[in-house]
Coordinates of all heavy atoms in Angstrom, one line a residue:
Chain B
W10 N 44.2 29.9 11.9 CA 44.8 29.0 11.0 C 45.8 29.7 10.1 O 46.7 29.1 9.5 CB 43.8 28.2 10.2 CG 43.1 27.2 11.0 CD1 41.8 27.3 11.5 CD2 43.6 25.9 11.4 NE1 41.5 26.1 12.2 CE2 42.6 25.3 12.2 CE3 44.8 25.3 11.3 CZ2 42.7 24.0 12.8 CZ3 45.0 24.0 11.8 CH2 44.0 23.4 12.6
H22 N 62.7 36.6 3.7 CA 64.1 36.9 4.0 C 65.0 35.8 3.4 O 66.1 36.1 2.8 CB 64.3 37.0 5.5 CG 65.7 37.1 5.9 ND1 66.5 38.2 5.8 CD2 66.5 36.1 6.5 CE1 67.7 37.9 6.3 NE2 67.7 36.7 6.7
T383 N -23.8 8.4 46.2 CA -24.3 9.7 46.9 C -23.2 10.5 47.5 O -23.5 11.5 48.1 CB -25.3 9.3 48.0 OG1 -24.6 8.4 48.9 CG2 -26.5 8.5 47.4
T395 N -9.2 2.1 51.8 CA -8.5 0.9 52.3 C -9.0 -0.4 51.6 O -8.4 -1.5 51.9 CB -8.9 0.7 53.8 OG1 -10.3 0.5 53.9 CG2 -8.5 2.0 54.6
H571 N 9.8 47.4 36.5 CA 9.7 48.5 35.6 C 8.3 49.0 35.5 O 7.8 49.6 34.5 CB 10.2 48.1 34.2 CG 11.5 47.3 34.2 ND1 12.6 47.8 34.7 CD2 11.7 46.1 33.8 CE1 13.6 46.9 34.6 NE2 13.0 45.8 34.1
S579 N 1.2 35.4 33.8 CA 2.3 35.2 34.8 C 1.7 35.4 36.2 O 2.4 35.4 37.2 CB 3.4 36.3 34.6 OG 2.9 37.6 34.9

Side-chain angles (χ1 to χ4, degrees):
Chain B
W10 286 105
H22 170 74
T383 58
T395 64
H571 317 300
S579 69

